[in-house]
């Protein structure tokens, strides 16, 4: 009798312990953009399914980068899941700082991830972060202004056409700028844009021996073209404009064209925020005639588990939930198809409900046109399109883009900016031991 | 007269505070000094060993070093000049009997209580923005093309923003000094035929010299480490990268702790040179 009671008690205790072991509280660092905030609102669905609780640490992009980088380099262990991008993932994966995600469940269907996203978030073929959403860049333009200028946007325009169209659309008296582009200093702002512009003119950051290439004619041509076009048709003060500033200008109807992240398409076509919502067309990012690479990038915000986390299994469960097809359907059911996280899964673009969204097709084409393994016309020793996936890049590119911004503002010539960029990149590469 | 015993007891009781304060300052300083001699790259495996004076040489020989020192000094000098000149004028003005004096004084002092980040954001977005800012609208109203403040006049704009914040501090200190001025002395000089300029030059200004010295010393210490305003407005672009900002870039953006630490030690040295220089030149006033 007693032994049966003991047996019963032991079983109950074991069960309680087992269920206790499964119910974890995950701490997740994330970025404060719309899609991530939406995910936080839907976390109850995850908790209901798995029993795990979630605590969010939501930060502005730059702060998030610094926090998670510091946490991972000092092995702080503050987070079970980190939101990171395509720049960090391969570097951290190579260093062994992330848990490989090569054992996700069959139901998750890892093969459904867009190949470009999967490749950009892998190192040596191993996936280290799962894409929550992905993006490339493309041209967003005002169909009415284009018509007024008597031009028609080709699906694959060249830079020469863009410059001509920008000049034709510019109407200074009515505060309309033919083209709005990023000039703001910062590696993820103007640095990213001028890098893809360089790619589309045949320029590259480094040659095969890691020698900086800012002294090459391609860079001079790209930068001279950019400055010339923006002085002709860009908004005043473009040297301080980044993504948000240009988004606001475009939404106010002050830009004829804007080349930027594909995720911006849903903002400029949303009638609640945009005064030009029904007059926006889309085209692939341009290239210089004769150059095979276009000025489009590839980026993903992705979820990863830091190595050394005590809650790896629960963290993986969360990642599977947040980046699954079911999650996309959950968002679509609650908020509509235009608001689902784009650019991560092939199946989304095969979905009949999503095909009707005006920017869906061009987003997919732009993502597919981006190849981080071969980002430039000439061979390079690095991976990454609008960045170079080495730890030193963020620092170098921020300083280089500061020199470029000074040239945009007319504080120095293109030649001076390039000479300084060459010198400081050389210094940094020497300091890092590349040369 | 303290006895040997009471002196020892006092030392013993003060010891914890002294140790704590020393630790508070010495631990970070020693760590900075230690890291500055090491190749410490967190993204490349952390501490990679002793490198001697490499970081120091590299920091000084980088093309960004001297421009950043120059920028730091220009900003400090510019803000000091503006805050002292306008501080003296405002102090004299606020000393005059006027209706609503208390209210006016509070308004003048108010900027000092605004956080640097907030004030920089307000200046950047509400005043200096070239398409939607107040200045742009003003310029347009007079038919002129708006100025790109933060990119084309970046240093003067930054000096303006920082001066706006520090002017209340200077005014407050100087106002206190003005109020302690002997009214009879001024009256006597007036009766002797001294004009307002003479009274200002020979009586008021010498009387204010100690207060000015205090303003210079305190402001210099804080202004040498100015950061938030630059981070928010220009992000270090357009020639606004100060020494502090350069160190931030080296440590956090380039993830090179060794190099940044060497920069930190240079900043400590620079601050000390400036402090000694100031104490020697203007600090003499304090002895008088």
């Amino acid at each position: 009798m007693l032994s049966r009671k003991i047996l019963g008690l032991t079983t109950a205790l074991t069960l309680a312990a087992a269920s206790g072991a499964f119910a974890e509280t995950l701490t997740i660092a994330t970025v404060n953009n719309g899609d991530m905030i939406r995910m936080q609102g839907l976390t109850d669905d995850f908790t209901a399914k798995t029993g795990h609780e979630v605590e969010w640490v939501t930060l502005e992009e730059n702060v998030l980068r610094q926090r998670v980088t510091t946490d991972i380099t000092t092995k702080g262990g503050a987070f079970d899941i980190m939101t990171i991008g395509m720049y960090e993932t391969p570097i951290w994966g190579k260093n062994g700082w992330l848990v490989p995600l090569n054992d996700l469940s069959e139901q998750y269907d890892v093969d459904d991830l867009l190949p470009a996203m999967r490749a950009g978030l892998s190192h040596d073929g191993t996936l280290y972060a799962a894409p929550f959403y992905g993006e490339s860049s493309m041209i967003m333009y005002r169909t009415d202004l284009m018509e007024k200028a008597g031009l028609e946007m080709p699906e694959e325009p060249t830079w020469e056409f863009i410059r001509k169209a920008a000049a034709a659309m510019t109407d200074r008296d009515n505060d309309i700028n033919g083209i709005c582009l990023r000039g703001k200093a910062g590696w993820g702002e103007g640095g990213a844009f001028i890098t893809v512009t360089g790619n589309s003119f045949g320029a590259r950051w480094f040659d095969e021996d890691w020698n900086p290439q800012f002294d090459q004619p391609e860079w001079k041509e790209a930068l001279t073209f950019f400055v010339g076009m923006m002085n002709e048709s860009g908004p005043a003060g473009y040297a301080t404009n980044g993504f948000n500033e240009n988004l606001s200008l475009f939404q106010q109807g002050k830009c004829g064209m804007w080349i930027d992240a594909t995720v911006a398409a849903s903002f400029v076509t949303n009638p609640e925020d945009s005064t030009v919502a029904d007059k926006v067309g889309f085209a692939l990012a341009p290239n210089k005639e004769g150059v095979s690479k276009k000025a489009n990038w590839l980026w993903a915000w992705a979820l990863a588990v830091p190595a050394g986390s005590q809650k790896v299994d629960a963290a993986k469960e969360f990642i599977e939930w947040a980046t699954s097809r079911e999650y996309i359907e959950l968002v679509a059911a609650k908020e509509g198809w235009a608001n689902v996280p784009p650019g991560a899964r092939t199946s989304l673009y095969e979905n009949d409900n999503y095909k009707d969204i005006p920017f869906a097709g061009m987003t997919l084409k732009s993502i597919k046109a981006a190849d981080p393994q071969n980002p430039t016309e000439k061979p390079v020793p690095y991976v990454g399109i609008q960045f170079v996936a080495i730890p030193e890049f963020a620092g170098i590119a921020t300083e280089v883009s500061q020199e470029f911004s000074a040239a945009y503002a007319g504080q120095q010539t293109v030649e001076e900016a390039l000479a300084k960029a060459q010198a400081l990149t050389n210094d940094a590469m020497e300091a890092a031991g590349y040369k | 007269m303290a006895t040997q015993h009471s002196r020892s007891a006092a030392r013993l009781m003060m010891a914890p505070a002294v140790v704590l304060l020393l630790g508070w300052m010495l631990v970070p300083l020693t760590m900075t000094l230690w890291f500055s001699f090491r190749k410490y790259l967190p993204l490349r495996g952390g501490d990679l060993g002793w490198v001697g004076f490499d970081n120091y040489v590299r920091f000084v020989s980088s093309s960004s070093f001297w421009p950043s020192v120059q920028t730091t000094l220009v900003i400090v000098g510019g803000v000091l000049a503006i805050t002292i000149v306008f501080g003296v004028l405002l102090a004299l003005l606020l000393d005059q009997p006027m209706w609503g004096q208390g209210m006016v004084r509070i308004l003048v002092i108010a900027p000092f209580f605004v956080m640097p980040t907030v004030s920089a954001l307000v200046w950047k977005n509400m005043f200096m923005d070239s398409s939607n800012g107040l200045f742009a609208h003003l310029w347009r109203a007079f038919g002129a093309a708006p100025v790109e403040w933060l990119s084309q006049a970046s240093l003067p704009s930054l000096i303006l923003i920082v001066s706006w914040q520090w002017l209340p501090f200077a005014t407050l200190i100087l106002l206190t000094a003005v109020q302690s001025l002997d009214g009879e002395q001024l009256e006597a000089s007036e009766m002797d035929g001294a004009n307002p300029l003479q009274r200002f030059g020979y009586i008021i200004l010498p009387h204010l010299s100690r207060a000015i010295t205090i303003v210079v010393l305190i402001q210099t210490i804080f202004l040498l480490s100015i950061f938030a305003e630059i981070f928010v407005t220009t992000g270090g672009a357009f020639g606004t990268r100060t020494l502090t900002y350069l160190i931030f870039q080296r440590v956090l953006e380039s993830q090179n702790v060794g190099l940044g630490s060497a920069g930190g030690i240079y900043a400590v040295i620079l601050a000390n040179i400036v402090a000694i220089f100031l104490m020697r030149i203007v600090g003499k006033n304090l002895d008088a």
Side-chain angles (χ1 to χ4, degrees):
Chain A
M1 190 69 188
L2 188 69
S3 64
R4 199 182 290 174
K5 262 188 181 170
I6 290 173
L7 187 70
L9 197 66
T10 322
T11 316
L13 279 173
T14 315
L15 276 175
S19 62
F22 279 117
E24 305 269 19
T25 300
L26 296 166
T27 309
I28 307 179
T30 196
V31 61
N32 66 346
N33 66 31
D35 289 291
M36 297 297 185
I37 303 288
R38 196 171 286 132
M39 172 164 66
Q40 295 178 21
L42 298 170
T43 318
D44 286 348
D45 180 74
F46 170 72
T47 306
K49 278 183 180 151
T50 61
H52 302 311
E53 299 283 335
V54 175
E55 268 176 26
W56 293 97
V57 178
T58 311
L59 300 162
E60 191 265 323
E61 188 175 327
N62 289 330
V63 183
L64 171 82
R65 280 215 174 93
Q66 280 166 15
R67 272 290 295 276
V68 296
T69 307
T70 312
D71 193 65
I72 202 125
T73 52
T74 57
K75 301 189 171 51
F79 307 110
D80 301 304
I81 295 174
M82 292 174 167
T83 304
I84 56 177
M86 272 195 183
Y87 171 59
E88 293 89 359
T89 308
I91 300 173
W92 295 7
K94 187 182 170 193
N95 285 356
W97 293 344
L98 300 174
V99 174
L101 299 179
N102 48 6
D103 55 350
L104 297 174
S105 71
E106 204 162 295
Q107 190 192 354
Y108 177 75
D109 194 4
V110 76
D111 293 327
D112 185 38
L113 298 178
L114 282 166
M117 295 299 150
R118 199 174 160 181
L121 296 169
S122 299
H123 172 70
D124 270 351
T126 304
L127 188 71
Y128 281 99
F132 180 70
Y133 75 76
E135 64 172 40
S136 180
S137 54
M138 63 181 174
I139 304 172
M140 291 161 271
Y141 67 96
R142 289 272 299 278
T143 48
D144 56 330
L145 293 178
M146 206 54 146
E147 202 175 315
K148 202 173 144 196
L151 293 166
E152 197 179 328
M153 177 71 87
E155 194 179 288
E156 297 186 34
T158 60
W159 275 116
E160 291 74 17
F161 175 83
I162 294 295
R163 187 170 186 166
K164 192 176 79 173
M169 285 196 268
T170 302
D171 180 359
R172 298 276 183 220
D173 293 339
N174 290 313
D175 212 6
I176 291 174
N177 310 288
I179 187 159
C180 299
L181 298 173
R182 298 183 190 185
K184 190 180 192 171
W187 77 269
E189 282 279 10
F193 192 80
I194 200 63
T195 299
V196 294
T197 305
N199 294 346
S200 67
F201 274 83
R204 53 185 174 166
W205 266 81
F206 300 103
D207 71 3
E208 297 95 314
D209 299 320
W210 292 104
N211 294 307
Q213 297 293 294
F214 292 107
D215 54 356
Q216 297 299 305
E218 291 89 355
W219 266 115
K220 192 177 168 188
E221 192 189 355
L223 206 58
T224 310
F225 180 91
F226 182 82
V227 173
M229 179 172 69
M230 292 306 282
N231 287 345
E232 276 162 29
S233 316
Y238 72 91
T240 50
N241 287 355
F243 176 83
N244 284 325
E245 288 81 0
N246 285 326
L247 171 64
S248 157
L249 285 173
F250 197 92
Q251 286 179 331
Q252 290 170 34
K254 291 182 176 176
C255 301
M257 287 179 282
W258 178 31
I259 307 173
D260 216 303
T262 48
V263 287
S266 67
F267 307 139
V268 295
T269 52
N270 181 352
E272 278 176 29
D273 302 319
S274 173
T275 58
V276 293
D278 55 342
K279 300 170 198 141
V280 188
F282 304 96
L284 285 174
N287 57 321
K288 186 193 154 190
E289 202 163 351
V291 174
S292 63
K293 301 292 175 185
K294 294 183 186 302
N296 61 330
W297 64 61
L298 192 70
W299 184 254
W301 277 119
L303 301 173
V305 186
S309 163
Q310 304 298 310
K311 301 167 186 170
V312 173
D313 291 334
K316 280 186 181 170
E317 276 182 62
F318 181 85
I319 290 180
E320 284 206 20
W321 172 80
T323 62
S324 65
R325 271 192 290 232
E326 289 72 31
Y327 175 81
I328 292 176
E329 276 158 25
L330 180 70
V331 177
K334 295 209 168 177
E335 319 243 351
W337 279 98
N339 291 316
V340 303
R345 287 184 165 270
T346 312
S347 55
L348 177 65
Y349 293 91
E350 289 161 358
N351 187 316
D352 287 334
N353 295 308
Y354 197 69
K355 277 180 187 162
D356 298 337
I357 309 282
F359 48 80
M362 198 53 73
T363 299
L364 183 65
K365 269 189 193 166
S366 300
I367 290 175
K368 281 187 169 169
D371 178 5
Q373 310 295 326
N374 303 291
T376 59
E377 187 97 331
K378 290 179 184 168
V380 286
Y382 55 84
V383 175
I385 298 178
Q386 76 279 23
F387 56 83
V388 175
I390 55 169
E392 291 73 22
F393 182 77
I396 299 174
T398 296
E399 289 190 44
V400 167
S401 69
Q402 285 174 345
E403 296 302 339
F404 287 175
S405 289
Y408 306 157
Q411 283 190 340
Q412 59 185 2
T413 63
V414 164
E415 288 79 9
E416 282 167 340
L418 285 170
K420 287 184 188 170
Q422 177 76 9
L424 72 89
T425 309
N426 236 332
D427 283 353
M429 294 306 276
E430 264 178 37
Y434 281 84
K435 299 166 72 187
Chain B
M1 183 97 189
T3 62
Q4 186 88 31
H5 277 296
S6 68
R7 268 203 299 270
S8 308
R11 281 200 196 113
L12 198 69
M13 281 188 266
M14 265 158 53
V18 172
V19 169
L20 195 71
L21 276 175
L22 270 178
W24 187 263
M25 288 184 296
L26 280 182
V27 170
L29 193 65
T30 316
M31 280 175 78
T32 312
L33 202 63
W34 168 253
F35 286 138
S36 71
F37 290 108
R38 304 193 71 85
K39 183 172 186 170
Y40 190 11
L41 305 167
L43 287 175
R44 289 209 168 269
D47 197 341
L48 303 175
W50 186 264
V51 289
F53 283 92
D54 262 17
N55 288 326
Y56 287 90
V57 175
R58 216 176 269 289
F59 196 88
V60 178
S61 57
S62 117
S63 52
S64 333
F65 177 70
W66 286 110
S68 73
V69 171
Q70 195 187 343
T71 306
T72 311
L73 297 178
V74 168
I75 291 181
V76 173
V79 175
L80 281 180
I82 291 178
T83 48
I84 287 168
V85 170
F86 285 92
V88 170
L89 294 178
L90 266 176
L92 291 176
L93 193 70
L94 289 177
D95 190 43
Q96 305 302 314
M98 66 173 107
W99 184 80
Q101 195 180 41
M103 198 59 176
V104 173
R105 282 184 189 172
I106 289 172
L107 284 177
V108 169
I109 295 161
F112 198 55
F113 301 107
V114 180
M115 278 185 282
T117 321
V118 176
S119 101
L121 274 174
V122 168
W123 275 93
K124 180 188 173 205
N125 295 326
M126 291 177 70
F127 294 107
M128 290 174 166
D129 186 272
S130 56
S131 49
N132 299 318
L134 184 70
F135 291 167
H137 286 297
L138 266 178
W139 258 246
R140 276 198 213 101
F142 288 101
V147 179
E148 318 297 342
W149 291 98
L150 289 169
S151 55
Q152 285 168 351
S154 41
L155 267 187
S157 304
L158 255 179
I159 291 174
L160 179 69
I161 295 172
V162 180
S163 299
W164 180 79
Q165 274 183 289
W166 280 94
L167 185 57
F169 172 78
T171 309
L172 206 62
I173 303 265
L174 293 165
L175 179 62
T176 321
V178 169
Q179 283 173 336
S180 71
L181 191 60
D182 188 357
E184 285 176 17
Q185 210 180 353
L186 277 178
E187 271 174 37
S189 67
E190 206 174 344
M191 284 165 76
D192 287 342
N195 66 28
L197 261 183
Q198 283 170 327
R199 266 180 282 150
F200 178 75
Y202 292 109
I203 299 176
I204 299 176
L205 210 52
H207 178 77
L208 287 182
S209 62
R210 288 182 80 174
I212 291 175
T213 308
I214 291 169
V215 171
V216 170
L217 281 175
I218 295 180
Q219 284 198 172
T220 306
I221 292 165
F222 282 96
L223 293 174
L224 278 173
S225 58
I226 171 178
F227 179 80
E229 293 84 346
I230 304 172
F231 185 76
V232 170
T233 53
T234 61
F238 314 116
T240 59
R241 190 162 44 191
T242 56
L243 195 54
T244 321
Y245 205 90
L246 187 65
I247 294 166
F248 157 77
Q249 284 200 327
R250 292 288 175 266
V251 176
L252 275 165
E253 286 182 357
S254 303
Q255 288 283 318
N256 192 336
V257 178
L259 193 61
S261 299
I265 298 297
Y266 277 123
V268 170
I269 295 169
L270 177 78
N272 276 294
I273 292 174
V274 173
I276 291 167
F277 175 77
L278 282 173
M279 289 301 248
R280 284 273 165 86
I281 305 289
V282 286
K284 272 190 234 153
N285 285 325
L286 291 176
D287 301 332

